[in-house]
Amino acid sequence: MASIRRTLSPSNERHYQNGNQYSVQSPSHKLVLNGKSSSLLYSRKNYISRKKLFYRCLVFFVLGFVLGMAPFGGFDDARSSDFSFEIKPPVVNVKEEMKDVVIPRPDNVVVNSVKLPGSGEEVQGKFDYVSRKLLIVVTPTYNRALQAYYLHRLSEVLKLVKSPLLWVVVEMNVASAETADILRKTGVMYRHLVCSKNMTDIKDRGVHQRNVALEHIEHHRLNGIVYFADDDNIYSLELFESIRSINRFGTWPVAMLAQSKSKAILEGPVCNGSQVIGWHTNEKSKQLRRFHVDMSGFAFNSTILWDPKKWHRPTSDPIRQLDNVKEGFQETTFIEQIVEDESQMEAVPPGCSRVLNWHLHLKARGVVYPGGWLLQKNLDAVISTT
């Protein structure tokens, strides 16, 4: 049996021994590469690509460095630069536009309407933003049958006075729970003070109680108008609104019942406009007192107590009422520490044309005042509810 044996070329033998074959699929040319030539070709291509990448990075680096060093400005210039733009309003003739506009007075600001956020409704009305002086009403009180009635009556008047108002109530020795309960229910801003003086050494209880209030005002530097309002007097609402206009010291006439309780007399200033030119006097003190005024017939600026330089006071001694003077002279000796003469006084109201408060000296006689304000054993009749 015949056999055919084909002799392989040396190149083909090396090719199959290495196990790799590369050929070009062209019909006219075929290139067979061995493993060594293939690796050299791959390494050269890789070298060329890396070289191109290096040059590209170098170009971009140089370009970025040059741009970074160029003087285009810094952070400070950016912060100082104004990137805003201005919209100029149209030219308006102010005189022509404001011809029919009414400017309200500073003491009475009117707002036509206010839209509340979230409600979608407009509230019509008048909003009062007037800046008023603080009224400091000083009231000495003590335990007696009609004390609760007097305090309630005075509180009802003070509740009607426009704020700000501070009611300083002073008791002797101890702050009673009954008085504190009344003050809490009044709805008036108050301070409840105690005068801890020995009653055996006191001639006039009210003098020391007012001095406690004066010390409190001076210590806390309260800025306002001080007025001594006893709880048993009768006051008009106009009085408290009028004394807010006082600059240094204001005074007005007070109607009083005579000792016989059969006629009324006036005690206080005689005025010509806003000036005090004389005094209404009663027969007892006609020639004795320097200033003929009742304790509830004047008011003064509280800064006189703690700022003597502002008012050019000759001395910085505390201003207090005196207990070592005759009865009825506490008012004039106190006023002499505040003013020098009538030229430093103001008439309230101008011309002193109206009586704004009354001092009637009415006292309840024969009324039992038991402890704790409770009537238990002196009732005329007791009706059982069973």
Side-chain angles (χ1 to χ4, degrees):
M1 185 174 182
S3 64
I4 298 173
R5 181 177 183 183
R6 186 173 57 182
T7 306
L8 298 175
S9 64
S11 60
N12 288 335
E13 294 177 356
R14 288 193 301 267
H15 169 72
Y16 288 109
Q17 290 175 0
N18 293 333
N20 293 322
Q21 179 180 0
Y22 293 91
S23 63
V24 179
Q25 300 299 326
S26 174
S28 59
H29 297 87
K30 292 184 179 180
L31 179 62
V32 179
L33 300 177
N34 56 14
K36 184 175 181 180
S37 61
S38 175
S39 62
L40 290 175
L41 181 61
Y42 176 78
S43 299
R44 186 172 180 177
K45 289 183 178 180
N46 191 18
Y47 171 75
I48 294 174
S49 62
R50 287 183 180 179
K51 191 175 181 180
K52 290 181 180 180
L53 180 62
F54 172 75
Y55 284 122
R56 289 178 183 176
C57 292
L58 182 62
V59 171
F60 284 116
F61 174 77
V62 174
L63 181 61
F65 179 78
V66 173
L67 292 177
M69 297 298 293
F72 292 118
F75 291 103
D76 296 334
D77 296 334
R79 285 195 297 265
S80 61
S81 299
D82 187 9
F83 298 99
S84 61
F85 57 93
E86 180 181 2
I87 301 176
K88 294 184 179 180
V91 180
V92 179
N93 191 343
V94 179
K95 293 184 179 180
E96 192 69 23
E97 295 290 336
M98 298 295 290
K99 183 184 298 183
D100 299 329
V101 177
V102 179
I103 301 177
R105 296 182 302 170
D107 59 342
N108 195 9
V109 179
V110 178
V111 181
N112 292 330
S113 64
V114 174
K115 188 174 182 179
L116 299 179
S119 63
E121 300 179 356
E122 290 189 353
V123 180
Q124 304 287 338
K126 178 178 178 181
F127 298 87
D128 195 356
Y129 295 100
V130 180
S131 177
R132 306 184 186 92
K133 291 182 180 179
L134 171 67
L135 292 184
I136 308 172
V137 181
V138 177
T139 300
T141 186
Y142 62 99
N143 296 338
R144 60 194 189 279
L146 297 180
Q147 180 187 14
Y149 165 74
Y150 289 143
L151 290 176
H152 276 296
R153 185 178 64 181
L154 179 55
S155 68
E156 291 300 320
V157 179
L158 297 181
K159 281 196 296 186
L160 300 177
V161 180
K162 295 180 180 180
S163 61
L165 182 142
L166 176 62
W167 191 15
V168 181
V169 180
V170 188
E171 284 194 289
M172 289 298 300
N173 299 325
V174 64
S176 65
E178 293 83 4
T179 302
D181 184 64
I182 291 177
L183 297 178
R184 281 193 298 267
K185 296 177 180 179
T186 57
V188 180
M189 183 172 64
Y190 72 93
R191 294 187 183 180
H192 194 185
L193 307 181
V194 175
C195 177
S196 57
K197 290 284 185 179
N198 190 356
M199 293 294 294
T200 58
D201 301 331
I202 291 179
K203 293 172 56 178
D204 190 336
R205 163 194 50 78
V207 169
H208 295 278
Q209 289 176 287
R210 297 185 191 98
N211 286 340
V212 169
L214 294 176
E215 293 175 3
H216 182 83
I217 296 170
E218 181 179 349
H219 176 72
H220 294 280
R221 292 178 173 262
L222 301 180
N223 190 355
I225 304 298
V226 181
Y227 177 49
F228 298 125
D230 292 342
D231 56 1
D232 56 348
N233 291 353
I234 300 176
Y235 307 92
S236 65
L237 186 61
E238 182 184 356
L239 171 64
F240 295 97
E241 299 298 337
S242 299
I243 62 179
R244 274 204 168 99
S245 62
I246 294 174
N247 181 36
R248 176 170 184 155
F249 181 92
T251 183
W252 54 90
V254 178
M256 307 175 64
L257 280 180
Q259 295 293 334
S260 61
K261 302 292 191 295
S262 59
K263 63 178 181 178
I265 59 176
L266 282 180
E267 186 173 17
V270 177
C271 307
N272 181 15
S274 60
Q275 297 180 347
V276 177
I277 59 176
W279 301 94
H280 295 285
T281 63
N282 54 50
E283 298 178 357
K284 293 194 305 179
S285 60
K286 189 173 183 179
Q287 300 292 334
L288 299 178
R289 292 190 292 176
R290 173 67 179 86
F291 301 115
H292 302 269
V293 62
D294 185 72
M295 188 65 72
S296 61
F298 66 91
F300 61 94
N301 197 310
S302 65
T303 58
I304 299 177
L305 301 175
W306 48 267
D307 193 1
K309 293 182 179 180
K310 177 181 178 180
W311 303 99
H312 306 288
R313 285 175 49 200
T315 177
S316 59
D317 295 337
I319 297 178
R320 300 290 185 268
Q321 294 189 8
L322 305 179
D323 190 27
N324 55 0
V325 296
K326 295 181 180 179
E327 184 181 358
F329 282 77
Q330 287 87 0
E331 296 89 349
T332 183
T333 54
F334 179 76
I335 296 174
E336 290 171 7
Q337 302 176 63
I338 301 177
V339 297
E340 298 177 358
D341 51 30
E342 285 82 356
S343 63
Q344 297 179 343
M345 297 182 177
E346 307 164 39
V348 179
C352 301
S353 56
R354 295 185 299 279
V355 175
L356 300 181
N357 69 305
W358 294 263
H359 194 176
L360 302 180
H361 298 285
L362 298 178
K363 295 182 180 180
R365 298 181 179 180
V367 179
V368 179
Y369 178 76
W373 294 12
L374 300 176
L375 300 175
Q376 296 178 348
K377 299 182 179 180
N378 59 339
L379 299 178
D380 297 334
V382 176
I383 301 177
S384 177
T385 58
T386 56

